[in-house]
Amino acid sequence: MMNTSRIVVALGGNAIQSGDATAASQQKALKSTAKQLTSLVEAGHEVVLSHGNGPQVGNVLIQQAEADSLATPAMPLDTCGAMTQGMIGYWMQNAFTDVFFERNINKGVVTVVTRVLVDEKDPSFQNPTKPIGPFYTEEEVIARQASDPDAHYKEDAGRGWRRAVASPRPKAVLEASAIQELLSAGELVISGGGGGVPVILKNGRLQGVEAVIDKDFASEMIAEMVDADILMILTAVDQVSLNFNSPDEIKLKEMTIQDCEDYINNGHFAPGSMLPKIEAATAFVRSKPGRKAIIASLHDIDLALQGHSGTLIYDAKDVVTPIR
């Protein structure tokens, strides 16, 4: 009989969009995702889902820029992030509700628009590096900076210039207690979309900031704050690899957090790709004895929980037992 766990699942962008940005196509992709993830619910696990929003918030920013006028002023980045949290959460709620109905599962699905506290003194605010939104020519950037001198832009791989924003580390998830209560009430909870809406505490009040929080770091913070047993990061590859995409690639079935630190120090994982996933998994496992992290493909979620796919990350000091 399967042991049940509290699991935070961080979905990669491939779970939502695979090239076609229409609402119908993204909803179709999420229906497929819901079918695969419902096996966790059927097994009795308590589940919190987080997700990326990079393509979606990029499209919203383009729409905002193109419609910007006195009558329809463009909304700031934090508001656009909240928009996409609600939009994707709504799509996911519909997808899971449909699958639950088909499988005769009596369970509710709730989206929590999640705010994540960051430190206004985080060094990333002094060196914004996260590219977002549409591409601009150099001439357009000069004109934009004349009207908004505080905005930062950077050239992006020869494709043009894009706005660059900070990517601060999360300090706290402000809706953590609500997520806890919803889990305890038996709900499937969707939270932390796109890393959450970044806010700072200034003069005793919360204030949204122009930043993007890494989804994997935010998911790790949520997992800690809801006392999860497992952090599962789902991505486009079936396992973590050394020497990725080279003739001497080595796929890793498991790693201790001590292994992870050695591999990070030796430069094995690419920033902006696998590195934040490894760092998030390591932080979660270290946060409390007995916790585990899994990095796997969405399509192999059941096999990953049984130890037959994906990469298991654990503390060498713990006695590792099968998840199944």
Side-chain angles (χ1 to χ4, degrees):
M1 183 174 178
M2 180 177 287
N3 297 320
T4 58
S5 300
R6 178 169 286 187
I7 305 175
V8 171
V9 179
L11 291 170
N14 62 319
I16 306 170
Q17 184 174 320
S18 55
D20 186 344
T22 64
S25 178
Q26 292 182 77
Q27 289 174 77
K28 182 179 179 180
L30 283 169
K31 180 68 177 289
S32 176
T33 295
K35 288 180 178 179
Q36 291 167 307
L37 290 174
T38 295
S39 62
L40 298 179
V41 175
E42 290 177 311
H45 299 298
E46 292 182 312
V47 180
V48 178
L49 297 177
S50 65
H51 59 82
N53 72 341
Q56 293 80 15
V57 78
N59 288 343
V60 168
L61 287 167
I62 292 171
Q63 293 162 359
Q64 294 289 314
E66 292 184 350
D68 187 25
S69 69
L70 290 175
T72 57
M75 294 293 105
L77 177 58
D78 59 315
T79 301
C80 292
M83 288 179 187
T84 57
Q85 275 202 63
M87 177 181 72
I88 297 170
Y90 159 66
W91 289 342
M92 293 179 76
Q93 285 177 259
N94 284 346
F96 277 99
T97 299
D98 287 348
V99 175
F100 289 173
F101 179 79
E102 293 165 4
R103 300 189 189 180
N104 197 29
I105 297 171
N106 183 22
K107 193 176 189 72
V109 190
V110 178
T111 296
V112 178
V113 176
T114 312
R115 298 165 298 167
V116 176
L117 186 68
V118 299
D119 186 349
E120 67 175 320
K121 295 181 180 178
D122 188 293
S124 69
F125 284 110
Q126 304 305 315
N127 182 32
T129 58
K130 178 75 173 176
I132 62 166
F135 290 90
Y136 299 105
T137 65
E138 189 169 358
E139 292 74 19
E140 288 173 324
V141 167
I142 292 171
R144 285 182 164 273
Q145 286 195 305
S147 60
D148 185 4
D150 292 331
H152 296 265
Y153 293 85
K154 63 180 293 188
E155 202 279 327
D156 190 354
R159 297 176 294 175
W161 292 73
R162 298 175 76 189
R163 187 162 173 201
V165 298
S167 186
R169 291 295 183 104
K171 306 297 287 184
V173 177
L174 300 186
E175 281 69 35
S177 61
I179 297 168
Q180 280 269 31
E181 291 180 17
L182 289 165
L183 276 175
S184 299
E187 303 290 292
L188 172 65
V189 185
I190 301 161
S191 66
V197 179
V199 296
I200 60 171
L201 187 62
K202 194 163 189 173
N203 299 323
R205 294 183 179 273
L206 291 171
Q207 175 182 314
V209 290
E210 298 276 294
V212 173
I213 300 170
D214 186 279
K215 175 226 359 134
D216 297 314
F217 292 139
S219 299
E220 189 280 326
M221 180 68 69
I222 291 171
E224 280 195 44
M225 298 187 81
V226 302
D227 196 25
D229 304 297
I230 300 166
L231 172 62
M232 176 172 276
I233 299 174
L234 301 181
T235 185
V237 297
D238 57 355
Q239 285 180 313
V240 177
S241 296
L242 303 180
N243 310 314
F244 178 68
N245 210 20
S246 69
D248 55 347
E249 179 176 354
I250 302 170
K251 292 189 174 183
L252 301 171
K253 184 176 181 180
E254 62 180 43
M255 292 186 289
T256 66
I257 56 174
Q258 294 79 11
D259 292 332
C260 292
E261 290 169 351
D262 289 341
Y263 293 143
I264 289 171
N265 291 335
N266 288 320
H268 277 287
F269 305 122
S273 179
M274 188 56 72
L275 179 59
K277 294 173 174 53
I278 299 294
E279 290 179 331
T282 302
F284 176 70
V285 173
R286 183 181 285 111
S287 64
K288 184 177 179 179
R291 286 177 170 168
K292 307 177 183 72
I294 300 170
I295 299 176
S297 164
L298 169 66
H299 304 293
D300 294 330
I301 187 167
D302 292 325
L303 291 173
L305 275 176
Q306 296 168 17
H308 302 312
S309 184
T311 301
L312 173 67
I313 297 170
Y314 62 98
D315 192 329
K317 297 190 291 263
D318 292 336
V319 176
V320 178
T321 57
I323 296 169
R324 61 183 183 278

